[in-house]
Amino acid sequence: MSVRVLWSACASLLLLTSACGEDSQVPACGEPLYGGSATDEAWMTMTDAAKKPKDTSQAVTVDAPSEGQTFAADAAPPRFTWTPPISSRTAPLSPVRHAQAHPRRTPGPLAWLGNLLIPTAEAHLPPYTGYIYWVQVTMPGSQCPVNVLTSELAWQVDAGSWKTMGTAAGKDLSLQVTSAYLLENRIKEGPFRQETPRTFRREAATP
C-alpha cells in the first residue's frame, strides 16, 4: 500500500512539473458544469481528444438559440437545445431530459492535498457509456469559455453562466457543441463538431 501511495505522489508531482512546459500556455479554465450522467472521467476523455481533427458529418444541429438570435438584457436564462443526426443513433439514447447543468462536487479546503497524494477523480462513479455533449459558449475578450458537459440534449442555462455571458453584452457570442459516443469512457465515435458555431448575443442594458 505504501508503495502505491508513493507512486501516486510521484506521478502527481510529475504531472504538475510537466504542466509548466508547453501546455502552460493553455488557460487553466477548470472543470465544466455537468448535466445528466456526465462525469469528470468523460470530461478528461473529451479534453484529451480536443486536438484531434473534428468530423462534421455527424455533428448535432442546434435548435435553440437560432442563428443571430438576440436576447434582451433582462431576459431570463434560456434553454439551449440540439438534435443529433438520426444516423448517429447507433446505440440507445436515454429519454430526453432538460436537466440543468451543475458542478459535480464541492471539494473541501484541503481536498487538493489529498488529490495530490492519491488522485481520486470520483473513481467511485461507473465508466460512462453513451452519447456525450460538450457545450462551449465563447465570449469576446475572455480566455475561458463557459463549458458544459452533459449526456442530455438540452442545457438550461444557469443564472451564473447567464451573468457571465452578460459581460459581453452587445457582442456576438459563439455556441459550439462537440459530441461523441463513449464506451466506458473511451471514444468509439467522434468527436463530431459543427462546421460553423451558432452565433447569438445579449443586448446591453440601457442606462
Side-chain angles (χ1 to χ4, degrees):
M1 177 65 182
S2 60
V3 173
R4 289 199 298 268
V5 171
L6 180 59
W7 184 90
S8 297
C10 293
S12 299
L13 289 174
L14 287 173
L15 288 173
L16 287 175
T17 54
S18 64
C20 296
E22 59 182 17
D23 290 338
S24 62
Q25 297 179 357
V26 179
C29 297
E31 288 194 65
L33 298 173
Y34 293 95
S37 302
T39 66
D40 53 353
E41 289 92 346
W43 169 243
M44 288 187 286
T45 297
M46 294 298 285
T47 54
D48 286 344
K51 295 181 180 180
K52 295 182 178 179
K54 301 300 185 298
D55 184 353
T56 62
S57 63
Q58 297 188 52
V60 305
T61 298
V62 174
D63 301 313
S66 59
E67 177 60 33
Q69 183 171 350
T70 298
F71 295 91
D74 59 351
R79 185 177 69 189
F80 294 161
T81 62
W82 51 91
T83 304
I86 295 177
S87 59
S88 71
R89 300 189 180 189
T90 57
L93 285 171
S94 59
V96 176
R97 293 176 295 161
H98 302 299
Q100 180 170 334
H102 53 83
R104 180 60 69 200
R105 64 183 184 275
T106 304
L110 297 179
W112 67 271
L113 181 58
N115 286 331
L116 174 63
L117 296 177
I118 308 177
T120 56
E122 292 193 2
H124 60 282
L125 293 175
Y128 177 74
T129 294
Y131 288 102
I132 201 78
Y133 305 96
W134 177 4
V135 184
Q136 294 173 285
V137 178
T138 304
M139 297 151 292
S142 176
Q143 286 186 313
C144 294
V146 175
N147 285 310
V148 178
L149 189 71
T150 181
S151 59
E152 311 300 342
L153 297 176
W155 170 39
Q156 175 59 54
V157 180
D158 58 281
S161 297
W162 193 231
K163 182 178 180 180
T164 299
M165 296 179 206
T167 60
K171 300 178 181 179
D172 285 343
L173 306 179
S174 175
L175 171 67
Q176 181 70 267
V177 181
T178 302
S179 59
Y181 183 79
L182 305 186
L183 178 62
E184 296 187 345
N185 290 336
R186 295 179 181 273
I187 293 181
K188 301 299 291 185
E189 298 179 24
F192 305 110
R193 193 173 187 176
Q194 305 151 262
E195 185 172 359
T196 304
R198 178 59 51 89
T199 300
F200 69 100
R201 64 170 54 190
R202 288 192 66 183
E203 291 181 343
T206 55

